[in-house]
Amino acid sequence: MSVNQQAHTGPPYGQPQPGYHGYQQPAYGGQPLPGVPQSQYGVYNGPMPGYQQPGPPQGSLRAPPTSGAPPPASGASLTSGHVAYSPFGHGDVQNGIPASAAPMQRTPASQPFLPGSAPAPVSQTSTLQQYGPPPASVQQLSNHMAGMTIGSPAASAPPPAGLGYGPSTSVPPVSGSFSATGSGLYTPYTASQGPPPTSVSQGLPLAQPPFPGQPVSTQRPPTQVPGFAPPPSSTGVGPSSYPPTTGAPRPPTMPGPPLPGQTVAGPPMPQPNHVSSPPPPSTMSGPHPGPPMSGLHGPPPPTHPPQPGYQMQQNGSFGQVRGPQPNYGGAYPGTPNYGSPPGPPPPPKRLDPDSIPSPIQVIEDDRSNRGSEPFVTGVRGQVPPLVTTNFLVKDQGNASPRYIRCTSYNIPCTSDMAKQSQVPLAAVIKPLATLPPEETLPYLVDHGESGPVRCNRCKAYMCPFMQFIEGGRRFQCCFCSCVTEVPPHYFQHLDHTGKRVDFYDRPELSLGSYEFLATVDYCKNNKFPSPPAFIFMIDVSYNAVKSGLVRLICEELKSLLNYLPREGNMEESAIRVGFVTYNKVLHFYNVKSSLAQPQMMVVSDVADMFVPLLDGFLVNVNESRTVIASLLDQIPEMFADTRETETVFAPVIQAGLEALKAAECAGKLFIFHTSLPIAEAPGKLKNRDDKKLINTDKEKTLFQPQTSFYNNLAKDCVAQGCCVDLFLFPNQYLDVATLGVVTYQTGGSIYKYAYFQLETDQDRFLNDLRRDVQKEVGFDAVMRVRTSTGIRATDFFGAFYMSNTTDVEMAGLDCDKTITVEFKHDDKLSEDSGALLQCALLYTSCAGQRRLRIHNLSLNCCTQLADLYRNCETDTLINYLAKYAYRGVLSSPVKTVRDALINQCAQILACYRKNCASPSSAGQLILPECMKLLPVYLNCVLKSDVLQPAPEVTTDDRAYIRQLVTSMDVAETNVFFYPRLLPLTKADVDSDSLPPAIRNSEERLSKGDIYLLENGLNIFVWVGVNVQQGLIQNLFGVSSFGQISSALSTLPVLENPFSKKVRSIINMLQMQRSRYMKLIIVKQEDKLEMLFKHFLVEDKSLSGGASYVDFLCHMHKEIRQLLS
C-alpha cells in the first residue's frame, strides 16, 4: 500500500516524535533505562511520564493513504537506506508500554509499511487522518480492531469509524496479565489503520481493566485493514471545513482568542489567603537535565492529534498511555503516581489522551482552512469560521458572526425533531460589537421625518429578505407574510429579476447590518433625548483612603476626562460629568465653571435621598476643567484623616438616579466601593456568607440577593436609563450577589479587585477604568428579536431587565455585552423558505442621537437530523449551556444543574448516534464532526467555580463569575472555559506570530520551559525548575530560578529579543480581551502552582472534577444507557 509523500513539517501533535539523537529516553511502562534517573512522580492517575527533551524534528510525516488497498501482510523489515526507528534510545519519553526487546521500526513516509511482528508502542497514535467517516469497509475494521473509535459519521456519508470503547464481538478483550517486559506480539499499524484501538470489554467504562484471563489476540489479520479516505463534505462544515491535512507547514498565524474549557478561579487571586496550602513540592527527577529546548527548530509543527473517525485501540491493560507532544517537553510529573514499580504488572489501562479529540487541533485546522478567505455572508445558513480564527467578514445580506452566532445554522423543520435532538436553538447577539479596522461599520440611514419603512402587521424593519411585488408598489413581509404599501417617497422600480434598481444603493436592502436614524416617535415622552451624563461616585471610607485608592482614582480622572466617548466627527464629547464622594453620608460637588473653587454639599439623611443642587452638578468637562482639577486635588486631602469605616450603598445609586432624573437624561454611574454596606440606610446588608451551604439544597441562596430592595431600585434605574458600573475592592465578604443586582439588570459591568494593593493591582484597575469610560455605549436601550413564522424567541440570558416577554431593556449596552436568545417552534418550518431572525436595538448614542441598529440573519431548515448535526457550532452551544446552567443555580441545587447538563449533552449525542451514525458496535463512542469537542468543553463548564468550586474560591468569586459569564460573547467563554496555553520558550523572536498552543494538561509541561496560560481574566507565566539560566536572566533580570519573585505584576522591561517577544505576546493578548488580565508569575513547585493547575482543565481538578479522559468515558456510558 503506498502512502503519500508529505512535505516535512515536524511531527503532528498527539503523535510521539521520531527519536531525537542525543537525548536519552526512559522506556515505556516505567522501566528504568541505564543512565536515566527514575522519576518518582507520575502524571495524574497513571504511570510515570518522564520529561522529554525534544530536538530538531526528523523524518517525514505520513499522509493519509490514498488507496483502500490493504497493506501487504508480512515482514516488518525496512528497505536498506532507511533508518530504523527505535522508540527507546533517543530523546522522547514514551510511557505506557513495557519496553520490548525488539525495537519498533518506524517507516519513512514514502515507504509502504509492512505490518509484521514488531511490537508497536501503544502511544504511537497515527494522527494524520481526517476525523471523517472512512469508507464502508470500516465495519470489518472495527471487528478486527475491536476498539474505541471516535467517529464523525453523518447519515448520508459512508460509515464512520468511531472511537469505539469496547471490543467488538469478534475479538476478545485483551487480558490484563502482561508482565512489564511486554509479552505478546503487537502488530504495528500503519497510517491507514489509525491508532491502535482501545479494547475494553463491552459495557465497562473505559477506566476499568478488561476481564482478566481472556485470551489475547496477538496478531491482527493485516489483510482486512482498509485505508481511510478524507471525510466527505457531509461531516464537516461545508467542504472546506476540515480538509485533509496536507503537508504544508501551518503558517504561524497569530492564534485568535483562545480556547474554551476554562475553570476560572474567580477574579484573579494569587493572594496567599485565597490559595490553600500546596502539597509538598515534588522533587521531580527527569532524564537529561541538559540544555532546555529554547527554540523551535524549523517551522512550528502542524498540530494533528488523532482524529475521531478512526479506530483508536490500545491492546492490553497497560498503564496510562500518553503520547508525548512533538516539539514540546514531555509530561511534567505532578501528583505521585499510582503506577507500579518496574516488575509487577502496571495499573489498569487508560485511554490515550492523544487519541481523543483535541481542541488545539480543531482550532488549528479551522485556522488553516478558513483563516485566509474572507467570510462572505451572502449565502443562507453558512456556518462561520470558529471564534479562534482570524478572518475578515464581507456583509452581503446577513449579519456578521461578530454580531450574531447561532448554535445551529440549519434548524429542524418541526418541534418534534428539535425535541428529539435536544440541540438548543439559540443565538448569541452582540449588537454593538467592535469591528476590526478593515471592516466597515454599519451605515446610518436617514429616512427623514417618516422614519424607517416597516411591515404594517409585525412591525419588522425593511431588510434584504422583504419581497417587492406589483412593480415595486407593495412589499410582502418575510417575517409574517403581510403585504404593505411602499410609501411614495420610498418607491423604486424593479429590474427583470424582481429586485429594486436601487438595491445596492440602500444598505437596508443589500446588507445584513445597518442603522436607522430614529424619529421623535421612538423617543421617551415624544421628545429627543439630551446627551447622557457620567457620574463618578467614590467611596472615601477608611479602607479606600488608606489603600491609596482614592488618590489613585482622582489622579486618573484628571486625564481620563479628556477621553470621554464622542461621535466620530465631533470635536469634543457631549457627555456631562458629575462627582459624589460617600461613606455613611453623601457629599455632592458643585463644579460650575463660574466658581473659583468647587463647593461641597453634604446629605446626611440617607433614608430620603435627594440631590441638593441642580445647576453646577453635571457640567461640560472643557468649560469646568479648572474647577474639576481643583476638586480632584482636594478630595484625597479632605478625607486623608478619616476614621469612618462604615459605608452605605443603595443611597449612592439613588442619588445618581435622582441627578439623572433632574437633568432629564440617561447616563452611567461609576461607583468605586470597598466594603459590605452595614451602615444604617436603605439597602443595608448583613454578612451571610456560609461555606457550609455548599452542596446542600440551600446553596442557591448564596447566588440570590439577600433583599428585594435592589431589584426594585434596578427597575427604577432602567426606566430612567441609568446604567451602573461597579468597581469593587473587597478585603472580605462583600455580597456581590446582592450589590451586583442593579449593575446586572441595568446592563452595567462589575470589576472586582480582591485585596487591592497599589503596586500590584493599579495597572489592571486603571486599564479597566480607562476602557470602561472610553468604550462605545448605547443608553436607554430596548432590543426586540423578531422571527419568521414557525419559531419565536422564548428565553433570554444576559445583563438586562424585562418588563414584558418580548422587550429586552437595558439602561446601558456596551460593545462587549451579549444577549443570548433561545428560540422554540410554534409551527412547522419549510426547507424552501428557511428561517429568519431580525434583531432591532433602539438606543441613544453618546451624542444623544436616537438610533435603531438592525441585524438580520437567515438560517436553513432541515427535515433530516444529519443536516442539523452537520451545521452546529460547539463554541456557541457551550456559551448557551453555560449561561443556562449559571441561571439554573439561582433556583436549583448545583448537583441538579450539573446532572441536567450532562443529561442534555448525552441526549444530543445519543440522538446523533441513533439516527445519523451508521450501525456499529455499542462499544464505540461516535461523535458528530461539529461536536467532537462538546465533551471536553462541557467538562470544563462542569468543573468551573460556579458549578464545582475549589475550596479557596469565595462565595463572592462565584457570584462574580456567574454574572460575568452571563453576558460574555462566544470568544470570551471559549478561552474562559478552555484557557490558551502557549510555550513561550518555543516562540520565534523574529516573527510576529504566537507559538503554537498546547493542550491544557500538566503532562504537556516540561520543567525546562516557560509557559503562558490566559483565560480572559488572568495571565499566568509558569516557569519550570530546570529553565536555562540565560532565559531567566533575559526574562526576569535575575540570575537564578530561586531569585524570581512571585510578586511581580508586570515583567521587567529588558532590552533583549526574548523579553521583547514575551512582552509583545502579553500585550497582544491584553488587546484581545475586554478586561485587563492580571499577570501572575508561577514558579514550579511554588504555592501558587495549585492555583495554576486549577486551569489545566484536561486534568482531574482538586475540587473533584473529572479529567477529560474520564469524562469522555462517563459520557459514553451515559449515551449507551440512553440507547439501551
Side-chain angles (χ1 to χ4, degrees):
M1 179 203 77
S2 73
V3 174
N4 286 354
Q5 175 74 44
Q6 171 153 341
H8 169 64
T9 53
Y13 278 91
Q15 177 165 312
Q17 298 256 82
Y20 289 137
H21 298 281
Y23 292 106
Q24 279 201 295
Q25 182 169 345
Y28 281 51
Q31 247 187 213
L33 271 188
V36 179
Q38 180 80 6
S39 164
Q40 345 165 197
Y41 293 95
V43 288
Y44 281 173
N45 221 352
M48 173 308 306
Y51 275 93
Q52 98 186 0
Q53 306 278 9
Q58 296 158 356
S60 294
L61 300 184
R62 294 198 214 100
T66 46
S67 76
S74 66
S77 62
L78 300 179
T79 39
S80 62
H82 288 290
V83 187
Y85 163 65
S86 151
F88 311 126
H90 299 311
D92 279 6
V93 179
Q94 314 274 9
N95 53 341
I97 294 203
S100 131
M104 137 94 181
Q105 294 176 309
R106 166 167 178 145
T107 46
S110 57
Q111 184 59 27
F113 190 82
L114 313 171
S117 54
V122 171
S123 66
Q124 181 89 10
T125 49
S126 160
T127 56
L128 284 170
Q129 293 87 344
Q130 287 289 25
Y131 275 90
S137 52
V138 79
Q139 189 50 51
Q140 327 162 245
L141 176 66
S142 106
N143 293 340
H144 285 293
M145 293 182 71
M148 145 149 193
T149 46
I150 292 198
S152 52
S156 57
L163 221 240
Y165 278 58
S168 58
T169 46
S170 62
V171 180
V174 179
S175 87
S177 58
F178 286 108
S179 68
T181 50
S183 61
L185 282 173
Y186 286 92
T187 325
Y189 43 90
T190 63
S192 67
Q193 272 169 285
T198 314
S199 78
V200 178
S201 26
Q202 294 243 78
L204 282 179
L206 266 188
Q208 298 181 357
F211 299 120
Q214 296 203 351
V216 177
S217 86
T218 49
Q219 180 102 18
R220 293 189 210 102
T223 45
Q224 294 177 322
V225 179
F228 288 99
S233 57
S234 62
T235 52
V237 241
S240 67
S241 160
Y242 297 100
T245 48
T246 55
R250 280 182 205 278
T253 48
M254 195 205 84
L259 340 176
Q262 175 36 26
T263 9
V264 141
M269 21 157 240
Q271 294 80 5
N273 357 15
H274 267 78
V275 182
S276 48
S277 59
S282 39
T283 51
M284 300 172 212
S285 59
H288 199 81
M293 302 61 61
S294 55
L296 197 52
H297 306 269
T303 51
H304 298 279
Q307 319 254 0
Y310 303 141
Q311 298 285 61
M312 306 198 198
Q313 245 184 357
Q314 292 148 348
N315 290 321
S317 55
F318 290 113
Q320 186 169 5
V321 180
R322 303 266 162 133
Q325 183 157 327
N327 282 315
Y328 295 109
Y332 123 73
T335 53
N337 170 14
Y338 313 125
S340 39
K349 184 197 62 41
R350 319 238 321 128
L351 184 58
D352 174 8
D354 279 326
S355 65
I356 55 183
S358 155
I360 304 298
Q361 182 57 39
V362 171
I363 287 168
E364 277 303 321
D365 286 349
D366 193 74
R367 264 189 206 142
S368 60
N369 299 332
R370 307 197 66 185
S372 49
E373 293 294 303
F375 178 69
V376 181
T377 71
V379 182
R380 182 174 85 189
Q382 279 185 109
V383 182
L386 298 180
V387 285
T388 41
T389 298
N390 258 342
F391 60 99
L392 270 186
V393 180
K394 291 201 170 149
D395 185 340
Q396 291 193 358
N398 282 293
S400 159
R402 301 190 206 289
Y403 294 123
I404 307 183
R405 278 187 177 264
C406 294
T407 52
S408 179
Y409 288 80
N410 200 333
I411 60 180
C413 282
T414 65
S415 61
D416 289 347
M417 250 179 97
K419 281 196 187 87
Q420 188 184 355
S421 74
Q422 286 287 312
V423 175
L425 306 175
V428 179
I429 305 174
K430 195 176 184 182
L432 298 179
T434 311
L435 299 183
E438 49 276 34
E439 291 178 21
T440 319
L441 292 171
Y443 290 98
L444 181 59
V445 179
D446 184 359
H447 282 317
E449 287 182 14
S450 58
V453 177
R454 303 175 70 176
C455 166
N456 271 344
R457 182 199 285 159
C458 72
K459 299 291 184 250
Y461 294 86
M462 180 53 66
C463 72
F465 312 118
M466 298 289 191
Q467 192 66 46
F468 286 89
I469 53 175
E470 296 178 24
R473 286 190 295 281
R474 305 169 114 192
F475 67 91
Q476 182 166 26
C477 177
C478 50
F479 294 95
C480 70
S481 305
C482 172
V483 173
T484 302
E485 294 282 335
V486 173
H489 72 88
Y490 198 70
F491 174 77
Q492 186 53 270
H493 296 285
L494 308 183
D495 66 11
H496 64 286
T497 64
K499 259 187 188 170
R500 283 171 55 122
V501 295
D502 62 353
F503 176 81
Y504 290 107
D505 303 331
R506 292 196 176 272
E508 72 274 20
L509 298 182
S510 54
L511 298 176
S513 301
Y514 41 87
E515 293 201 308
F516 291 121
L517 205 52
T519 58
V520 75
D521 308 336
Y522 292 86
C523 302
K524 259 189 204 156
N525 310 325
N526 277 6
K527 65 180 201 195
F528 285 112
S530 310
F534 282 179
I535 304 176
F536 297 92
M537 316 185 89
I538 305 167
D539 173 345
V540 289
S541 64
Y542 179 80
N543 277 349
V545 175
K546 269 290 166 283
S547 65
L549 183 62
V550 173
R551 188 175 297 281
L552 182 68
I553 293 168
C554 292
E555 278 305 310
E556 178 61 28
L557 286 179
K558 283 187 216 169
S559 55
L560 188 52
L561 294 175
N562 298 326
Y563 300 99
L564 298 177
R566 56 173 186 253
E567 292 295 337
N569 51 3
M570 292 173 58
E571 295 272 313
E572 61 174 54
S573 175
I575 292 173
R576 289 168 299 161
V577 297
F579 302 88
V580 172
T581 56
Y582 67 94
N583 38 45
K584 264 164 77 168
V585 297
L586 275 75
H587 322 108
F588 293 79
Y589 298 92
N590 183 344
V591 283
K592 197 173 178 179
S593 56
S594 54
L595 296 172
Q597 282 294 319
Q599 294 171 348
M600 170 163 132
M601 300 185 187
V602 181
V603 175
S604 50
D605 181 8
V606 289
D608 182 18
M609 187 42 63
F610 67 99
V611 179
L613 72 161
L614 291 180
D615 191 29
F617 179 62
L618 293 178
V619 297
N620 173 295
V621 174
N622 279 344
E623 291 168 12
S624 298
R625 186 173 299 282
T626 50
V627 194
I628 292 172
S630 168
L631 170 68
L632 294 172
D633 283 335
Q634 290 174 36
I635 288 174
E637 306 310 326
M638 262 189 297
F639 299 101
D641 300 323
T642 184
R643 286 277 165 270
E644 185 53 72
T645 55
E646 293 189 355
T647 56
V648 296
F649 185 70
V652 182
I653 297 176
Q654 287 171 324
L657 172 61
E658 292 303 322
L660 294 177
K661 272 186 186 164
E664 296 187 344
C665 67
K668 185 180 267 199
L669 312 182
F670 295 84
I671 302 179
F672 305 90
H673 189 78
T674 61
S675 58
L676 190 71
I678 54 173
E680 237 3 280
K684 171 186 173 181
L685 301 178
K686 58 180 191 289
N687 185 338
R688 52 160 189 168
D689 188 16
D690 188 359
K691 283 267 178 98
K692 292 199 288 293
L693 298 181
I694 293 178
N695 295 328
T696 69
D697 283 353
K698 287 193 176 157
E699 184 172 3
K700 57 181 181 244
T701 59
L702 297 175
F703 295 110
Q704 299 163 353
Q706 58 173 285
T707 157
S708 62
F709 182 87
Y710 288 95
N711 294 65
N712 298 326
L713 181 54
K715 188 175 166 185
D716 296 341
C717 287
V718 172
Q720 181 56 40
C722 168
C723 176
V724 179
D725 278 2
L726 191 49
F727 292 81
L728 296 173
F729 305 88
N731 288 334
Q732 55 199 26
Y733 178 71
L734 188 74
D735 204 346
V736 173
T738 306
L739 297 189
V741 166
V742 179
T743 296
Y744 185 65
Q745 294 191 16
T746 58
S749 305
I750 299 186
Y751 299 85
K752 181 163 159 291
Y753 310 88
Y755 306 102
F756 178 81
Q757 285 180 316
L758 218 52
E759 52 281 8
T760 52
D761 297 311
Q762 130 176 1
D763 274 357
R764 183 165 58 108
F765 163 56
L766 293 180
N767 276 289
D768 283 342
L769 177 60
R770 286 168 196 154
R771 190 164 190 282
D772 197 59
V773 167
Q774 295 173 44
K775 67 185 171 187
E776 183 187 358
V777 187
F779 292 95
D780 225 340
V782 185
M783 185 182 99
R784 182 175 283 195
V785 178
R786 293 180 173 82
T787 51
S788 53
T789 314
I791 53 169
R792 63 194 168 86
T794 55
D795 208 353
F796 301 85
F797 304 83
F800 52 73
Y801 174 77
M802 290 186 82
S803 54
N804 57 33
T805 56
T806 54
D807 295 337
V808 175
E809 300 172 48
M810 293 155 289
L813 172 69
D814 65 50
C815 54
D816 298 323
K817 296 279 185 305
T818 62
I819 294 95
T820 302
V821 185
E822 187 179 7
F823 303 97
K824 290 258 167 50
H825 286 76
D826 56 8
D827 204 347
K828 281 203 172 93
L829 294 165
S830 92
E831 281 187 284
D832 301 336
S833 52
L836 300 174
L837 320 176
Q838 183 179 79
C839 160
L841 176 77
L842 175 65
Y843 71 99
T844 301
S845 74
C846 60
Q849 203 176 49
R850 202 70 177 145
R851 295 182 177 179
L852 282 152
R853 180 168 288 201
I854 314 294
H855 298 298
N856 302 288
L857 187 63
S858 59
L859 302 172
N860 286 329
C861 297
C862 57
T863 52
Q864 298 296 320
L865 283 166
D867 292 327
L868 163 69
Y869 283 103
R870 206 176 289 135
N871 291 279
C872 286
E873 228 232 339
T874 300
D875 292 333
T876 310
L877 189 57
I878 288 292
N879 179 286
Y880 164 83
L881 290 170
K883 289 172 182 177
Y884 184 79
Y886 281 17
R887 184 177 66 184
V889 298
L890 291 172
S891 51
S892 308
V894 172
K895 184 179 185 314
T896 311
V897 173
R898 292 165 50 82
D899 292 346
L901 268 184
I902 294 174
N903 185 43
Q904 180 166 6
C905 288
Q907 287 189 321
I908 291 172
L909 297 174
C911 172
Y912 176 79
R913 173 68 190 261
K914 184 176 169 193
N915 299 289
C916 310
S918 51
S920 54
S921 89
Q924 292 183 322
L925 168 62
I926 297 183
L927 300 169
E929 176 63 29
C930 294
M931 289 188 186
K932 63 191 176 201
L933 298 181
L934 187 60
V936 63
Y937 288 168
L938 179 71
N939 190 34
C940 295
V941 174
L942 294 169
K943 284 159 63 164
S944 64
D945 288 331
V946 173
L947 299 181
Q948 193 162 35
E952 72 277 7
V953 176
T954 66
T955 304
D956 275 346
D957 291 333
R958 297 177 74 196
Y960 173 67
I961 296 293
R962 197 191 76 75
Q963 294 199 10
L964 270 188
V965 168
T966 306
S967 44
M968 275 185 184
D969 71 8
V970 180
E972 288 171 319
T973 49
N974 179 288
V975 72
F976 179 79
F977 288 115
Y978 192 98
R980 175 151 63 169
L981 183 58
L982 304 173
L984 294 178
T985 20
K986 302 288 182 282
D988 177 357
V989 292
D990 300 320
S991 90
D992 290 340
S993 62
L994 293 176
I998 59 174
R999 291 172 67 168
N1000 279 206
S1001 172
E1002 187 173 348
E1003 67 190 28
R1004 308 282 174 181
L1005 305 180
S1006 145
K1007 55 166 98 171
D1009 285 323
I1010 301 175
Y1011 297 86
L1012 178 150
L1013 181 144
E1014 64 129 351
N1015 72 339
L1017 294 185
N1018 305 301
I1019 290 180
F1020 292 93
V1021 173
W1022 182 91
V1023 187
V1025 288
N1026 292 352
V1027 171
Q1028 273 179 333
Q1029 207 176 325
L1031 283 177
I1032 291 175
Q1033 185 70 53
N1034 283 346
L1035 192 56
F1036 298 103
V1038 295
S1039 55
S1040 71
F1041 178 82
Q1043 292 174 313
I1044 299 170
S1045 163
S1046 298
L1048 289 177
S1049 58
T1050 52
L1051 290 174
V1053 176
L1054 302 172
E1055 287 304 311
N1056 65 71
F1058 185 59
S1059 172
K1060 284 180 183 168
K1061 177 65 182 177
V1062 171
R1063 283 180 291 112
S1064 85
I1065 287 175
I1066 290 174
N1067 290 339
M1068 190 192 295
L1069 300 181
Q1070 293 284 20
M1071 296 293 291
Q1072 291 174 13
R1073 305 285 164 231
S1074 60
R1075 290 168 181 250
Y1076 194 83
M1077 296 181 280
K1078 177 169 190 165
L1079 180 69
I1080 300 170
I1081 308 293
V1082 179
K1083 294 157 71 176
Q1084 185 179 352
E1085 299 168 15
D1086 189 40
K1087 60 181 185 295
L1088 279 180
E1089 202 181 26
M1090 301 309 291
L1091 182 66
F1092 172 75
K1093 286 181 183 175
H1094 182 59
F1095 297 87
L1096 298 175
V1097 291
E1098 289 197 23
D1099 297 336
K1100 270 202 170 82
S1101 71
L1102 287 172
S1103 49
S1107 69
Y1108 175 20
V1109 168
D1110 292 344
F1111 184 70
L1112 198 59
C1113 302
H1114 178 69
M1115 281 302 287
H1116 185 219
K1117 198 169 75 183
E1118 294 280 322
I1119 292 165
R1120 288 175 64 171
Q1121 277 175 352
L1122 287 171
L1123 291 174
S1124 59

